[in-house]
């Protein structure tokens, strides 16, 4: 099969709720106090990929969504529209 067993995790994300274990409430986005900026990252193939640091939370959320689409295509789990 094209999708190996290691890639199944993102296929079963039905009913994903807002993240409650970070400072932004959004998947892959949190406040970085030392830099005074929002940080975005995503996990792919069990490795964390840095997306970047942003002045505005909305920028970090949009950057996360774009990277998720790039990596996972139609199976991407995106943050809700702002």
């Amino acid at each position: 099969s094209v999708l190996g067993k290691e890639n199944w995790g993102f296929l079963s994300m039905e009913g994903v709720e807002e993240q409650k274990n970070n400072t932004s409430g959004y998947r892959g986005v949190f406040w970085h106090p030392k830099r005074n900026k929002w940080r975005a990252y995503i996990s792919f193939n069990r490795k964390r990929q840095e997306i970047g640091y942003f002045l505005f939370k909305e920028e970090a959320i949009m950057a996360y969504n774009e990277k998720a689409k790039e990596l996972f295509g139609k199976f991407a789990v995106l943050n809700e529209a702002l």
Side-chain angles (χ1 to χ4, degrees), residues 1-14 45-46 72 75 77:
S1 114
V2 175
L3 293 176
K5 201 173 199 179
E6 69 276 1
N7 294 323
W8 290 359
F10 67 89
L11 294 174
S12 61
M13 300 301 289
E14 272 186 46
N45 288 336
R46 299 180 188 226
F72 298 109
F75 300 107
V77 178

Side-chain angles (χ1 to χ4, degrees), residues 19-67:
Q19 297 289 289
K20 292 178 176 59
N21 61 346
N22 65 25
T23 53
S24 72
Y26 290 91
R27 177 181 303 280
V29 175
F30 67 94
W31 180 249
H32 193 281
K34 289 183 181 179
R35 290 193 182 200
N36 264 351
K37 292 184 179 182
W38 292 96
R39 180 179 179 197
Y41 70 89
I42 193 165
S43 294
F44 183 68
N45 288 336
R46 299 180 188 226
K47 294 185 177 142
R48 184 179 283 193
Q49 293 187 17
E50 185 71 39
I51 298 171
Y53 293 88
F54 304 87
L55 290 177
F56 301 102
K57 179 168 58 171
E58 293 78 11
E59 292 175 313
I61 294 165
M62 289 187 291
Y64 173 90
N65 284 349
E66 287 302 312
K67 190 67 170 179

